[in-house]
């Protein structure tokens, strides 16, 4: 047994404690007619990816935990291939993930991974960012080569005893939605079950990004992060995963590989990581709204009046203006202490992951952005345990009405603009409009939000 397995199974006191806590939390999340032991068995069944009865996987848990944990990342043909050759790749529309449970050598300066192999296998190039379908994003993601070698490999300069996970902080980072959608959530999905016993190699390394997410990264791996561009040596690992698993927009699907984690587990992880106190909105006494203010486009031109109106209704209002460098420590706490979040369609709404269960999330939908609003936030919100409402603006609430006049296709037929191509539509609807909210109508929306929370506001 290598050092990896010893720490994992026997554990340091803190790891053992973590294990007990996890078992306890797990047990408490199952219906009460299951005994804790039954729940734990259930948990192990999930762990084995539905092969709980299979002796092979159960033996592996004990004999070689690292192989076992890597094996959870593949199913079906991919798993058979991994068992036979020690190497496997899975490709879908959004991401490619390649992994090996054989000891590898990585040349950091060439971003090349050497895998020992006596069988002939095709070399692979992976761009480790979960938005494969988007050429623009992928232009900002360096390729990582995986080469099978039957000859001698380069000599190790540094030997590590846990597997490496290689992923990019390039792509669309700089936008909160993309940071969670393509990196943070996929990272959680791919590596949570390793219980911090793995080492990150972050390509396209952006120091500000790594700093911004340092709390999350240090919860997921207890080892120093390697920036290959700054550490141009030869490193050796007992295994490697290149690329991250992706499920859906801001989504974690309990039934998809590696299995066992849902959006609720992720929210719970965020609460622990950022020391957020409120799990359920019922713990918040006062009615409180957080309004996400946008600085550049899709602004609320009468934001001051909106705030006044909400205060008159009896809400306490916090206005926050997140930008790409904003500390999550600060805003996560504000959002977690509110029972309503209001904002125009845009990346800032990703902050909904910090809302307590049962909070109301009001998305203001600008002209022409119905599909994007529903796809990126409306749909995912339903899986987050929050109550979702949309406030769809009328043409006379958009600055586009003055710009184009009431009969222009931009106003009456947004579809025709989208048919001209994404960039044309983006210029008009995403970057080119601001909003002046109808306070009479918006007031109704907030009264409904209060009702959804089971409150009647003072003026009602
Ligand atoms: C158990 O898993 C191994 C390796 O994937 C496979 O070869 C075997 O057929 C499985 N056995 C059963 C009973 O499913
Ligand atoms: C690692 O890659 C660099 C850049 O391609 C190359 O110059 C160097 O020789 C490689 N080192 C080894 C040990 O292969
Ligand atoms: C190593 O692989 C190459 C092809 O990739 C093959 O020509 C050669 O015979 C192999 N050598 C050994 C020792 O297996
Ligand atoms: C490179 O990585 C090794 C192992 O993680 C570490 O000990 C060393 O300090 C790093 N070197 C630099 C220049 O960061
Ligand atoms: C989760 O994935 C399964 C297929 O693996 C699918 O049937 C199900 O609809 C997904 N759930 C959600 C909430 O998307
Ligand atoms: C929040 O707590 C209330 C009251 O305890 C409960 O009825 C409700 O189901 C909880 N909401 C969620 C989403 O867990
Ligand atoms: C605001 O909405 C209300 C209710 O839909 C409507 O009667 C009113 O005319 C609107 N006000 C303006 C200025 O458009």
């Amino acid at each position: 047994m290598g050092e990896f397995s010893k720490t994992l199974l026997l554990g340091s006191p803190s790891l053992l404690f973590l294990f007990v806590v996890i078992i306890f939390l797990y047990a408490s999340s199952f219906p009460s007619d299951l005994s804790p032991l039954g729940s734990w068995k259930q948990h192990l069944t999930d762990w084995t990816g539905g092969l709980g009865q299979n002796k092979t996987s159960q033996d592996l848990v004990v004999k070689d935990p690292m192989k076992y944990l890597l094996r959870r990342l593949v199913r079906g043909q991919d798993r058979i291939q991994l068992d036979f050759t020690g190497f496997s790749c899975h490709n879908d529309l959004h991401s490619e993930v390649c992994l090996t449970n054989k000891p590898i050598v990585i040349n950091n300066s060439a971003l090349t991974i050497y895998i020992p192999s006596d069988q002939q296998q095709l070399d692979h190039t992976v761009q480790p960012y979960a938005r494969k379908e988007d050429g623009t994003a992928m232009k900002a993601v360096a390729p990582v080569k995986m080469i099978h070698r039957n000859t001698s490999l380069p000599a190790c300069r540094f030997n590590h005893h846990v597997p490496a996970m290689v992923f990019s902080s390039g792509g669309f980072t700089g936008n909160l939605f993309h940071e969670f959608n393509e990196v943070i959530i996929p990272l959680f999905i791919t590596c949570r079950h390793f219980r911090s016993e793995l080492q990150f190699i972050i390509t396209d390394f952006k120091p500000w990004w790594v700093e911004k997410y340092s709390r999350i990264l240090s919860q997921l791996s207890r080892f120093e992060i390697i920036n290959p561009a700054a550490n141009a040596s030869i490193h050796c690992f007992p295994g490697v995963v290149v690329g991250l698993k992706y499920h859906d927009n801001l989504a974690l699907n309990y039934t998809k590989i590696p299995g066992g984690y849902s959006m609720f587990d992720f929210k719970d992880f965020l609460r622990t990581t950022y020391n957020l106190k409120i799990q359920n909105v019922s713990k918040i006494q006062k009615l409180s709204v957080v309004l996400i203010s946008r600085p550049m486009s899709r602004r609320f031109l009468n934001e001051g009046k909106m705030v006044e109106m909400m205060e008159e209704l009896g809400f306490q209002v916090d206005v926050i203006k997140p930008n790409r460098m904003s500390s999550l420590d600060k805003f996560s706490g504000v959002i977690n202490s509110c029972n309503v979040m209001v904002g125009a369609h845009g990346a800032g709404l990703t902050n909904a992951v910090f809302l307590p269960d049962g909070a109301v999330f009001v998305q203001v939908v600008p002209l022409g952005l119905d599909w994007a609003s529903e796809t990126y936030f409306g749909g995912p919100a339903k899986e987050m345990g929050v109550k979702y409402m949309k406030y769809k603006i009328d043409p006379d609430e958009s600055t586009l009405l003055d710009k184009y006049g009431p009969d222009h296709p931009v106003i009456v037929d947004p579809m025709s603009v989208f048919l001209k191509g994404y960039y044309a539509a983006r210029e008009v609807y995403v970057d080119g409009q601001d909003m002046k909210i109808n306070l009479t109508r918006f007031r109704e929306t907030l009264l409904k939000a209060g009702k959804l929370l089971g409150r009647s506001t003072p003026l009602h």
Side-chain angles (χ1 to χ4, degrees):
M1 247 193 228
E3 257 176 275
F4 172 82
S5 42
K6 271 188 238 143
T7 10
L8 191 80
L9 285 181
L10 310 173
S12 60
S14 64
L15 261 181
L16 187 63
F17 175 72
L18 188 69
F19 242 86
V20 171
V21 169
I22 286 165
I23 292 172
F24 175 76
L25 286 177
Y26 228 83
S28 60
S29 70
F30 277 84
S32 53
D33 57 7
L34 273 178
S35 70
L37 193 63
S39 319
W40 179 239
K41 270 196 201 141
Q42 172 72 48
H43 182 39
L44 260 184
T45 310
D46 295 335
W47 258 28
T48 56
L51 287 176
Q53 301 308 313
N54 190 325
K55 196 84 175 60
T56 311
S57 25
Q58 282 187 351
D59 284 352
L60 208 51
V61 180
V62 181
K63 276 210 300 259
D64 195 339
M66 184 199 76
K67 277 196 176 157
Y68 169 71
L69 294 170
L70 288 168
R71 197 170 180 267
R72 268 187 70 178
L73 291 166
V74 282
R75 264 186 203 162
Q77 284 301 318
D78 298 331
R79 183 174 275 186
I80 292 169
Q81 164 133 31
L82 182 70
D83 287 344
F84 270 97
T85 66
F87 176 80
S88 173
C89 285
H90 183 78
N91 238 311
D92 59 34
L93 179 62
H94 307 285
S95 77
E96 179 170 26
V97 179
C98 289
L99 61 131
T100 179
N101 53 29
K102 297 201 274 193
I104 59 104
V105 178
I106 172 165
N107 180 343
N108 276 355
S109 51
L111 285 185
T112 298
I113 295 170
Y114 298 95
I115 305 165
S117 169
D118 352 329
Q119 295 142 325
Q120 226 171 339
Q121 286 195 62
L122 289 179
D123 295 339
H124 251 88
T125 299
V126 182
Q127 284 179 285
Y129 185 79
R131 203 173 178 85
K132 213 170 101 223
E133 74 279 19
D134 191 325
T136 309
M138 298 314 269
K139 267 187 210 149
V141 180
V144 176
K145 289 191 281 294
M146 301 183 86
I147 293 177
H148 301 272
R149 276 273 181 91
N150 59 4
T151 52
S152 65
L153 307 179
C156 303
R157 172 81 178 79
F158 296 104
N159 259 303
H160 303 269
H161 65 278
V162 294
M165 186 161 289
V166 182
F167 65 94
S168 169
S169 64
F172 284 154
T173 54
N175 171 302
L176 193 70
F177 172 80
H178 292 289
E179 287 167 6
F180 271 85
N181 187 57
E182 284 120 59
V183 190
I184 297 299
I185 292 175
L187 184 63
F188 181 87
I189 289 173
T190 314
C191 82
R192 182 55 165 165
H193 63 292
F194 285 88
R195 310 216 188 300
S196 308
E197 297 293 320
L198 81 179
Q199 186 148 16
F200 297 148
I201 298 180
I202 305 186
T203 59
D204 311 301
F205 191 95
K206 294 179 181 168
W208 66 264
W209 188 88
V210 172
E211 174 60 26
K212 179 174 174 182
Y213 289 98
S214 59
R215 283 217 203 190
I216 289 179
L217 296 171
S218 63
Q219 284 279 313
L220 291 175
S221 162
R222 65 187 189 89
F223 298 91
E224 179 197 14
I225 293 168
I226 295 179
N227 170 7
N231 199 323
S233 331
I234 308 292
H235 291 251
C236 292
F237 293 90
V240 70
V241 180
V242 183
L244 303 175
K245 286 267 161 209
Y246 180 88
H247 289 170
D248 207 341
N249 288 312
L250 298 181
L252 297 90
N253 187 327
Y254 190 89
T255 67
K256 287 189 175 162
I257 40 180
Y261 293 108
S262 68
M263 183 41 104
F264 287 96
D265 298 301
F266 181 65
K267 285 178 67 175
D268 195 49
F269 167 77
L270 290 178
R271 282 195 298 270
T272 308
T273 304
Y274 289 102
N275 196 21
L276 306 175
K277 302 280 183 262
I278 301 169
Q279 177 174 357
N280 186 307
V281 79
S282 60
K283 295 280 180 299
I284 303 174
Q285 304 302 326
K286 57 183 193 299
L287 277 168
S288 45
V289 173
V290 55
L291 185 144
I292 313 244
S293 177
R294 294 182 53 86
M296 303 286 280
S297 58
R298 286 160 279 148
R299 287 173 301 177
F300 295 131
L301 297 179
N302 57 343
E303 197 167 278
K305 287 267 191 299
M306 291 166 73
V307 171
E308 261 171 45
M309 181 274 284
M310 294 190 282
E311 285 174 346
E312 275 165 26
L313 284 180
F315 287 96
Q316 181 198 300
V317 185
D318 269 304
V319 178
I320 64 170
K321 295 179 193 284
N323 63 43
R324 79 161 59 179
M325 302 305 280
S326 291
S327 136
L328 293 174
D329 300 38
K330 191 167 123 201
F331 289 136
S332 58
V334 175
I335 289 155
N336 184 249
S337 66
C338 288
N339 36 32
V340 180
M341 185 178 104
V342 169
H345 171 71
L349 300 186
T350 310
N351 280 301
V353 294
F354 298 114
L355 282 171
D357 294 346
V360 178
F361 169 15
V362 182
Q363 177 170 218
V364 176
V365 179
L367 230 51
L369 297 179
D370 303 69
W371 180 86
S373 299
E374 178 59 25
T375 305
Y376 298 123
F377 298 106
K382 287 163 196 136
E383 306 297 323
M384 286 181 192
V386 298
K387 293 170 176 151
Y388 174 71
M389 296 177 72
K390 70 173 172 192
Y391 176 89
K392 165 95 175 83
I393 68 163
D394 285 335
D396 61 4
E397 295 171 272
S398 171
T399 52
L400 294 176
L401 188 69
D402 283 344
K403 228 191 258 182
Y404 293 93
D407 304 321
H408 195 278
V410 160
I411 306 297
V412 295
D413 187 13
M415 187 54 89
S416 68
V417 181
F418 276 91
L419 286 175
K420 287 188 195 153
Y422 173 72
Y423 288 99
R426 182 187 168 108
E427 199 180 320
V428 176
Y429 298 110
V430 176
D431 298 330
Q433 75 175 312
D434 290 316
M435 293 171 283
K436 192 171 163 220
I437 298 302
N438 177 330
L439 295 175
T440 315
R441 214 154 67 80
F442 195 58
R443 189 174 179 280
E444 293 303 315
T445 301
L446 281 160
L447 288 173
K448 265 190 214 146
K451 278 211 190 98
L452 281 178
L453 291 165
R455 321 276 185 104
S456 54
T457 55
L459 286 186
H460 195 54

